[in-house]
Amino acid sequence: EAKMKNDVQMRAHPLFPCITLLLLQEVLNRRLFSTVREARRLTYDANFHLTSFETILGGWYLVTVTAKPELAVAALEACEETLQAARSWDKITRDNLRSAQFELISKHQGAMQTNKHWVDMMAGLQLMEVPGKDMRSITDFVEVVQSVQVEDVQRMLECLDTDKGKAWTCIGVSGVTTGP
């Protein structure tokens, strides 16, 4: 019962949505990299980026890949398949989450050594226009990261519209290309 009460308290924490999104972003970055780059060798790099859904009504996600022009369509399809798999048959695992938590905490602890990070974290603490941001945003970061469960990240992913045909896609090519 005490654990359940703590889970409820953590889910009510103002940082919880943001942290859950950051963990989802980390999990999907790893998935895209391992599938699109390592397994299929379609790209040099693959990245998944979420906007701050927790602070604005709506938002978007952006998947970017760096690939040879002739592999761009296949890389796009592999990205779409990877996102669909994470929502359906290849759901987020405890190992995925633990790796993402370790990475997020490590990045946070490293950034805590810089003035810029401190300034960014403290920005808006006293503004009423930034609801839910208070000192707990600084003091509770690691605790909130560690409290997130696999189900929380999976639910967050299921809120994103990743269905083929519903997501906007674009392939941009830089430099000179030959033929269609």
Side-chain angles (χ1 to χ4, degrees):
E1 187 173 305
K3 183 187 179 323
M4 182 183 268
K5 184 178 179 184
N6 190 43
D7 287 349
V8 170
Q9 287 174 333
M10 279 297 141
R11 284 187 178 104
H13 196 288
L15 265 183
F16 191 82
C18 178
I19 295 294
T20 305
L21 285 169
L22 289 171
L23 289 167
L24 174 60
Q25 181 173 285
E26 189 65 39
V27 167
L28 292 177
N29 267 320
R30 287 172 182 248
R31 290 269 183 104
L32 286 168
F33 189 82
S34 66
T35 301
V36 182
R37 183 181 189 283
E38 292 179 347
R40 298 190 188 180
R41 301 197 184 281
L42 295 171
T43 181
Y44 305 112
D45 194 20
N47 291 296
F48 184 89
H49 177 73
L50 286 161
T51 60
S52 299
F53 282 84
E54 80 284 0
T55 57
I56 59 174
L57 295 176
W60 64 91
Y61 61 90
L62 176 66
V63 178
T64 57
V65 298
T66 306
K68 293 178 182 176
E70 61 270 17
L71 297 177
V73 172
L76 172 63
E77 290 170 354
C79 289
E80 290 173 330
E81 291 167 13
T82 302
L83 294 177
Q84 283 303 308
R87 288 184 68 192
S88 57
W89 62 270
D90 191 15
K91 294 187 183 275
I92 296 167
T93 67
R94 182 175 167 87
D95 287 343
N96 295 149
L97 178 59
R98 294 295 170 239
S99 295
Q101 288 171 319
F102 177 80
E103 186 69 23
L104 193 57
I105 290 170
S106 295
K107 286 178 183 176
H108 173 71
Q109 289 172 336
M112 293 290 286
Q113 306 305 311
T114 68
N115 287 336
K116 180 189 181 314
H117 187 70
W118 278 100
V119 170
D120 288 345
M121 288 188 338
M122 293 189 315
L125 281 178
Q126 297 174 332
L127 296 176
M128 290 177 49
E129 291 81 7
V130 184
K133 187 164 185 183
D134 56 31
M135 284 303 293
R136 293 177 301 163
S137 299
I138 297 170
T139 59
D140 297 351
F141 187 90
V142 172
E143 184 180 7
V144 174
V145 170
Q146 292 171 336
S147 75
V148 175
Q149 301 296 312
V150 171
E151 303 81 38
D152 301 320
V153 180
Q154 191 68 44
R155 278 191 209 113
M156 193 68 80
L157 172 59
E158 290 167 6
C159 291
L160 296 180
D161 200 352
T162 61
D163 294 338
K164 268 190 169 185
K166 290 188 177 180
W168 292 20
T169 61
C170 172
I171 295 176
V173 178
S174 64
V176 179
T177 61
T178 58

